[in-house]
Structure formats: structure tokens, C-alpha cells
Amino acid sequence: MRSQLEETVRALTGTSRRARREAAEAAAERTSFPADHLDRYPHELSGGLAQRAATALALIGDARLLLADEPTTGLDRDLVDRTVDELRRHADDGRALLLITHDLAAAARRGPRRRHVRGPDRRDRPRPPLLRTRRPRHPYARGLLDALPDRAFTPIPGMPPELTDLPGAAPSRRAAPAPPTSAPPAPSPRPGWPATTRSTPVLELDAVTAGYDRRAPVFRGASLTVAPGESVGLLGPSGCGKSTLARVAALLHRPDAGRLVLDGTEVRAWRHRAPRELRTAVGVVFQQPRTAADPRLTLADLVVEPLRATGRRAEAPGRLAELAPAVGLTPTCSSAAPTRSATDSSSAPASPAP
């Protein structure tokens, strides 16, 4: 990342070679990117660290107009506030900011006070919120604001209408939710995969250490057990190794030390060398779906492909009809390629749920 930052400094500011290193470190500091990670490659960064690196790259040139497309998606709440405040400072000296976000709390944040230094009035004044108005006129916009936790926290039922089939006027609410249907039959067990008993954990991590440099692992001695029927949340600050641990559990990253057991079977080989029944036992919802999805396939093909790969081709039509509405994929989205879909519409799992 250091070389990318220095290259951007050179291209946008013309800074001399000697001063580039200091300028790159200053840009990283503005977005709370840790200095000891500057010599890592992008694939060695967590989603939150990669997001901060991207923000640092964008801030270097002091552009007249800064377009920030979901700059806080992978960040902790504290880092969200700090990032939004830094982006707001960008607009203090006559520059402009357009923030595109799902995070209404971030958009409503006023940020720290700013000092007006021009003219006789030098008092500190609060920044206005990024939202243009606290009482929008459109019913749907009012519904979005009422869904904020510090307000009524009232969810909007249904799903957004198809953009290709809008009524004459802009919609004031979402399309009505589909009527409930009978529960689908449970899928058949994977061929060759042993039946799980209640006493056998689905996942066991025992004293696992992993990272991208043996001299400085991302985490050390992590232990975790997930039992059948159990849902476990893994919480931690940005960059602490949550995604790396998930990659280890999905057999995508070999740990430096420790044991991994899936349904009672200890894993001894990783990635393509692992047995097929182990590789297909774990489904993954990736943090960055655009880079995980094959751009040559439609979203429907991406959902069906894992079923074909695991010998369950006959289940494909029914599973697609079941999964698409469950994750908010409309018929139009299902027939589109990932590169032509919004990021939140392309977050399809890499393998089917059992």
C-alpha cells in the first residue's frame, strides 16, 4: 500500500521523491490506516483496512469534488464517525463532497465544529448534517428517516419496486411483500457426507494462528466452536482478523498453527487439495461480492452453479425460486450480471445453504 500511496502522491501533487514517503504516511494517518500495515499488499488487508486505504488514496489530491461511494461500509462505528468527519473536512476549504451511502446515521452526523476564519466572524460553528433536510417531503424518504434507531425505528415492509415497472408517479412505498408459502422440504444430505449428531460440533477451531507473514500473524491462538443449530456472532474491531479467520474456516487460507475440524473430520489439506466433501461443506457470503462473483455469469447462474458442482442439479429450479426472494433478488436482478447490479444485490453465497 505504501507504494500505491506514494505513486498517487507523485501523480497528483508532484511531490519530490524524498517527501513522498512522509506524504503517504500523512494520508494514511488521516484515515486511521495503521502505519505498520503500509508495507502489506491489498489482499493481505481486511475489508475495513482496504476501505481506509481507498479513502486515503482519494484524499491525496485534494480534488475539487470528492465522490465517496459507500466509504464506511466495512468500518466500525467509531471509524465511521472519524471517516465521515475527515470527509467533511475536505469540503471546508471551498471543495465539495458527495456522499453516497446506505448509512443514514453517518449521513445525519453533524461532525465536529468548524472555525470560520474569513471575515470578522471567527467563531466556531457546527457543521450542518449531510442530509439536506430533517423533514423530507417524499413519503418514502420520510419512511427511511423514521427507520433510524434514534427515531421510531419503524421498518419499511415489502421490497423496492422494479425500476423497469414503476407506476406513473414515483413510488411512495415498497411493493407489498409476497404472500407466505409453505416451507420447502429439507434438502437431501450431501453424497458421502456423514450425518451430524447433536454431540458433534459443525466447526472447531483449536488454538489457530494465521496471517500473511509468519513474523507478524493477524491473530494468534484463536479457538471457536459452533454446534449444530447454533448461530455465533464474531465481533471485533476493523483489522483484527475476522475475515482471515473466516477464510481459514472455509479452507481458503492455511493457518500457521492450530487445528480445524469440520463435522468431526480434521482438516489436513487446504484449498483445491482438500477433499471435495470438505470443500463443498462450507458456504461463504463474501464481504466484497463484486470481486468474488464471476462477471460472465448472471446472478441466477451464480446461485445455481454450486448446486450443479455438488451433484444436486435437479434441485436448481426450486432452490433458485426459494433463495432469490429470501435475499431480496427480484426477477430483473436474477437475470443481470454482477457487474451490472448494485453491490447489495450481488451478495450471493458462494455455495448453497444445506
Side-chain angles (χ1 to χ4, degrees):
M1 288 310 307
R2 185 188 302 277
S3 61
Q4 292 194 42
L5 287 167
E6 291 183 3
E7 180 184 33
T8 305
V9 169
R10 177 191 61 79
L12 297 182
T13 67
T15 303
S16 65
R17 181 185 296 272
R18 292 183 178 180
R20 287 175 200 164
R21 183 182 183 91
E22 183 178 348
E25 292 176 353
E29 185 178 359
R30 290 178 67 183
T31 59
S32 303
F33 188 91
D36 57 354
H37 285 55
L38 282 172
D39 293 318
R40 296 189 177 185
Y41 290 94
H43 73 274
E44 297 176 338
L45 304 178
S46 68
L49 286 171
Q51 184 68 73
R52 281 180 271 173
T55 303
L57 288 167
L59 289 172
I60 285 175
D62 290 331
R64 292 279 295 164
L65 171 62
L66 183 62
L67 304 177
D69 188 1
E70 296 291 351
T72 61
T73 301
L75 303 182
D76 310 329
R77 189 71 253 169
D78 178 58
L79 286 172
V80 167
D81 293 342
R82 293 171 65 178
T83 300
V84 171
D85 291 346
E86 188 61 41
L87 293 173
R88 296 294 300 276
R89 292 188 188 98
H90 178 85
D92 282 350
D93 297 326
R95 296 182 292 266
L97 167 69
L98 176 60
L99 177 66
I100 302 168
T101 181
H102 289 86
D103 191 340
L104 292 178
R109 178 173 172 78
R110 287 183 175 271
R113 301 174 70 87
R114 61 177 175 180
R115 177 172 290 275
H116 288 256
V117 297
R118 297 176 182 173
D121 187 359
R122 296 174 178 268
R123 294 176 298 175
D124 288 342
R125 295 179 179 176
R127 287 181 171 88
L130 287 168
L131 292 174
R132 287 287 190 180
T133 176
R134 302 293 289 182
R135 293 303 305 168
R137 290 177 295 177
H138 199 284
Y140 186 73
R142 290 199 298 268
L144 286 176
L145 291 181
D146 286 339
L148 283 169
D150 59 348
R151 293 200 178 189
F153 202 40
T154 305
I156 302 176
M159 294 188 54
E162 289 282 355
L163 296 180
T164 57
D165 189 26
L166 290 177
S172 61
R173 63 190 67 201
R174 295 189 180 189
T181 57
S182 57
S188 58
R190 279 187 182 81
W193 190 249
T196 302
T197 64
R198 294 295 296 181
S199 60
T200 304
V202 177
L203 171 66
E204 291 180 87
L205 292 170
D206 182 19
V208 171
T209 297
Y212 304 93
D213 185 345
R214 289 182 178 272
R215 295 170 297 180
V218 177
F219 61 85
R220 301 174 185 269
S223 297
L224 174 68
T225 300
V226 183
E230 186 178 32
S231 299
V232 177
L234 184 62
L235 304 179
S238 175
C240 72
K242 301 183 297 296
S243 296
T244 301
L245 188 145
R247 288 174 59 82
V248 170
L251 311 186
L252 297 175
H253 186 83
R254 178 188 288 275
D256 299 326
R259 295 171 61 248
L260 170 63
V261 181
L262 285 176
D263 257 355
T265 302
E266 183 172 354
V267 177
R268 301 184 182 277
W270 303 83
R271 298 177 68 88
H272 63 279
R273 295 185 177 89
R276 184 183 182 88
E277 61 269 18
L278 284 178
R279 285 187 283 117
T280 59
V282 183
V284 184
V285 180
F286 288 100
Q287 189 177 32
Q288 298 175 347
R290 285 193 185 278
T291 59
D294 190 335
R296 299 169 298 178
L297 302 178
T298 66
L299 296 181
D301 293 334
L302 289 169
V303 174
V304 171
E305 185 184 34
L307 293 169
R308 295 171 178 166
T310 53
R312 295 187 287 168
R313 182 187 297 267
E315 299 179 29
R319 290 290 280 164
L320 178 59
E322 171 195 348
L323 290 172
V327 297
L329 286 179
T330 63
T332 300
C333 288
S334 299
S335 61
T339 53
R340 302 186 64 181
S341 304
T343 304
D344 54 355
S345 297
S346 54
S347 299
S351 58

